[in-house]
Amino acid sequence: MPRPLQNLEELLDRIGELARDNDQVSIGMVVESIGSRSFGPLLMLIGITLFSPLSGVPGMSVFMASFVLLIATQMLIGRKQFWLPHYILNRSIERGKLQKALNWLNKPARDIDRVLKPRLTFLVHNKGGSYGIAALCVVVGLCMPFMELVPFSASAAGLALLTLGLSLVVHDGLLVLLALVVFGTTFTFVFVNIL
């Protein structure tokens, strides 16, 4: 079983190792390297994908929405290890595109990791906190298909998911509150632009 991640840089390093060793990197390979029991790192993976230049791939937000819903629902029903279908696990990206996205994210990841620390841990530690985060992820996942209609809104949802994942990894409840603000703002922006 992989060692639990401690921060965002470690997640990027693990994905970077896969990119160095393989021409194509599948989601299954990434999930195996970070651990299929870890809700936080999986959320971080989805958030990074949506926040990076990869979010410009048509249909990416709808695909990632199905990933979010599947994982968050399993967390809500209490599964210890997440099941993911082959159509998600087999999706892959070419090494060059992945490496470009990782290079783009490296400096912000270092800066973010410097300011993270355990605080307001009741929002992430107890069952109520983690179920609340999972429920919020279900809402984000349900809204994401509509974000295809408004440019850059999927990237903002990705930022919210990345923040929620980080909150679970580093036990920083302040990040949960920040994610609520980001998602609330994004939802309002999408709602106003669709109407």
Side-chain angles (χ1 to χ4, degrees):
M1 186 174 166
R3 188 175 63 82
L5 295 170
Q6 301 298 313
N7 57 40
L8 187 51
E9 265 189 291
E10 283 186 19
L11 176 66
L12 296 178
D13 287 345
R14 285 207 197 161
I15 297 171
E17 286 171 19
L18 292 172
R20 283 188 291 278
D21 298 339
N22 301 280
D23 291 331
Q24 292 278 332
V25 177
S26 71
I27 289 179
M29 293 164 70
V30 175
V31 168
E32 187 178 323
S33 78
I34 63 175
S36 58
R37 296 170 183 254
S38 309
F39 186 54
L42 289 173
L43 266 184
M44 288 166 54
L45 171 65
I46 295 166
I48 284 171
T49 303
L50 289 169
F51 190 63
S52 76
L54 297 174
S55 66
V57 175
M60 182 62 80
S61 63
V62 173
F63 172 73
M64 285 294 154
S66 65
F67 197 176
V68 170
L69 288 170
L70 196 56
I71 293 169
T73 303
Q74 290 179 70
M75 187 178 178
L76 285 172
I77 62 173
R79 283 190 62 117
K80 299 294 180 212
Q81 185 154 352
F82 300 114
W83 172 84
L84 296 169
H86 288 294
Y87 85 90
I88 289 179
L89 294 173
N90 291 337
R91 290 283 296 249
S92 64
I93 185 167
E94 185 264 324
R95 178 196 339 213
K97 287 183 181 176
L98 180 59
Q99 197 58 58
K100 183 178 177 184
L102 291 173
N103 292 341
W104 184 80
L105 289 164
N106 272 331
K107 185 181 180 325
R110 273 193 303 276
D111 294 340
I112 290 167
D113 286 342
R114 276 191 210 113
V115 298
L116 299 180
K117 61 182 177 184
R119 56 191 151 193
L120 301 175
T121 54
F122 67 93
L123 291 172
V124 291
H125 264 302
N126 62 24
K127 282 199 172 209
S130 57
Y131 283 135
I133 290 170
L136 178 60
C137 288
V138 169
V139 173
V140 172
L142 291 172
C143 293
M144 281 173 61
F146 301 103
M147 294 179 185
E148 286 273 328
L149 305 172
V150 180
F152 306 111
S153 59
S155 293
L159 179 61
L161 291 170
L162 172 58
T163 306
L164 287 172
L166 271 170
S167 73
L168 290 170
V169 170
V170 299
H171 310 293
D172 192 343
L174 186 61
L175 291 176
V176 175
L177 300 177
L178 178 62
L180 281 169
V181 170
V182 169
F183 178 66
T185 305
T186 304
F187 179 78
T188 304
F189 180 72
V190 170
F191 184 75
V192 166
N193 280 286
I194 288 179
L195 292 180

